[in-house]
Amino acid sequence: MTAKPFASSADLDVKTETLEQLGDGVWALTAEGDPNVGAIEGEDFLVAFEARATPVAARAWLARLREHTDKPVRYLVLSHYHAVRVLGASAFEAGAIIAHQNTRMLIAERGKQDWESEFGRMPRLFTEPDSIPGLTWPDVTFSDRLRIDLGGRRGELVLQYCGRGHTEGDIVAWLPAQQILFAGDLVEAQAALYTGDAFHSDWAGGTLDRVKAFGAQTLVGGRGMVPRGRDAVDAAIEQTRDFLRVMREKVGAVHTSGGTLKEAFESTHAALAPAYGRWPIFEHCLPFNVSRLWDELAGIERPQIWTAQRDREVWAQLQG
């Protein structure tokens, strides 16, 4: 059997980007399963959500946004620490970079290794990688909730920690006035999950319950399409929960029976592929997902640090 190309290293096709206006002064840029980004207009400033993988890639997004608004970026909000979300931050020239306190800790603990890991896995996203000046460090962190007054009649933007999930530092951005939620990688809509740094039980339980409790009418997930309407939003949340449920059932059964990591991967792949196998980054993510869940079931509380070398070893063992 021919080995599959490593992660997304062979995914070199240019994706079609779609800029959507979700409400008055609320924007999202999606790109056929590539990481989503967004922006919220305040009275005389912008809040940007996510930063892309390099300053050059970020400037391309900003150029699209500048066709509609020339307000300066006062705040850049990072939903979590992964390199493709944060390393383009310098392009925004933001007054403040905001993240959860755990995200800052994770950048200090494993940011350099994650940078090297993600560059190897997804090279296409790193447009002109030499433009990255170094690790991105938040200026403002918080533990539970942070509110941004958007000014005038625009209301407020609420940044909220909903619990451990995709990482231990994910936050969401909620616009109560327009019932729009930027959920980061806690929710994916018609895109596979990456759970290599996850806390599967927390995520599938209380964390997604708290995300659902916002009652959003529009949701921007980390990847994939933008669901509109409560039924579509709830369906995306439950799709995310179902992906996690199937993983936990299949990996858990093999782990309990004394099987191997390879057997757990094969069982999980067989169960998920019919529904999710054609979605973006499914084949890329699943080996790393199963490896992390296997560790979690073995009592390893916090995810092991992914390095470029460890990535290749896991891939060779499970997808080789």
Side-chain angles (χ1 to χ4, degrees):
M1 184 174 68
T2 303
K4 295 176 181 176
F6 173 67
S8 292
S9 61
D11 178 10
L12 303 177
D13 295 336
V14 176
K15 308 300 182 186
T16 299
E17 296 182 345
T18 302
L19 181 62
E20 300 183 49
Q21 184 168 5
L22 308 180
D24 181 21
V26 185
W27 308 90
L29 188 73
T30 63
E32 297 184 299
D34 276 0
N36 296 336
V37 292
I40 301 102
E41 289 191 52
E43 187 71 7
D44 57 0
F45 64 90
L46 287 171
V47 181
F49 191 80
E50 311 289 35
R52 288 194 154 180
T54 71
V56 170
R59 281 193 284 272
W61 146 232
L62 284 169
R64 295 287 303 275
L65 185 61
R66 291 306 181 207
E67 296 172 5
H68 304 276
T69 176
D70 60 359
K71 295 176 182 178
V73 178
R74 182 177 297 176
Y75 303 108
L76 170 62
V77 176
L78 305 176
S79 69
H80 62 287
Y81 78 96
H82 285 151
V84 296
R85 303 291 185 182
V86 306
L87 291 179
S90 62
F92 294 83
E93 300 180 344
I97 299 172
I98 304 174
H100 191 266
Q101 62 187 21
N102 288 347
T103 291
R104 195 179 207 288
M105 175 270 292
L106 289 163
I107 291 169
E109 178 185 65
R110 57 186 70 195
K112 186 66 167 67
Q113 295 97 321
D114 183 72
W115 177 351
E116 294 168 353
S117 165
E118 294 199 43
F119 180 66
R121 293 186 194 182
M122 297 172 280
R124 180 178 53 77
L125 298 182
F126 286 78
T127 309
E128 297 189 32
D130 290 344
S131 66
I132 302 170
L135 292 175
T136 296
W137 295 99
D139 304 299
V140 177
T141 62
F142 65 97
S143 61
D144 180 39
R145 183 182 299 109
L146 187 151
R147 289 182 166 88
I148 297 173
D149 182 359
L150 297 173
R153 297 181 180 179
R154 293 182 177 271
E156 64 179 6
L157 177 68
V158 181
L159 307 181
Q160 178 75 46
Y161 180 63
C162 295
R164 302 188 304 183
H166 174 70
T167 72
E168 58 191 304
D170 299 270
I171 60 173
V172 302
W174 169 236
L175 276 164
Q178 302 195 56
Q179 296 185 295
I180 298 172
L181 184 69
F182 289 83
D185 280 317
L186 287 174
V187 179
E188 311 289 9
Q190 298 182 12
L193 304 188
Y194 174 67
T195 76
D197 297 298
F199 296 80
H200 294 79
S201 180
D202 289 6
W203 188 358
T207 299
L208 281 180
D209 288 344
R210 285 183 280 275
V211 171
K212 194 171 185 179
F214 284 102
Q217 291 293 328
T218 303
L219 183 145
V220 183
R223 294 174 183 262
M225 48 98 56
V226 176
R228 298 171 187 253
R230 184 64 187 273
D231 289 347
V233 169
D234 286 353
I237 294 169
E238 293 309 317
Q239 165 219 296
T240 300
R241 199 191 310 264
D242 183 66
F243 195 106
L244 293 165
R245 177 190 61 79
V246 173
M247 282 187 57
R248 292 169 66 210
E249 287 180 358
K250 297 303 179 181
V251 177
V254 175
H255 191 273
T256 299
S257 68
T260 66
L261 177 62
K262 178 70 169 177
E263 290 168 342
F265 172 76
E266 291 173 346
S267 175
T268 306
H269 190 285
L272 286 172
Y276 304 113
R278 294 189 178 184
W279 286 4
I281 68 171
F282 175 80
E283 295 292 347
H284 168 162
C285 292
L286 199 61
F288 309 115
N289 295 356
V290 171
S291 179
R292 164 55 189 157
L293 181 51
W294 187 265
D295 282 353
E296 201 170 9
L297 293 170
I300 298 174
E301 174 68 9
R302 298 186 65 240
Q304 296 188 59
I305 296 174
W306 291 103
T307 65
Q309 179 179 346
R310 182 170 174 242
D311 288 352
R312 294 279 180 173
E313 291 169 353
V314 169
W315 187 268
Q317 182 181 4
L318 300 183
Q319 285 278 47

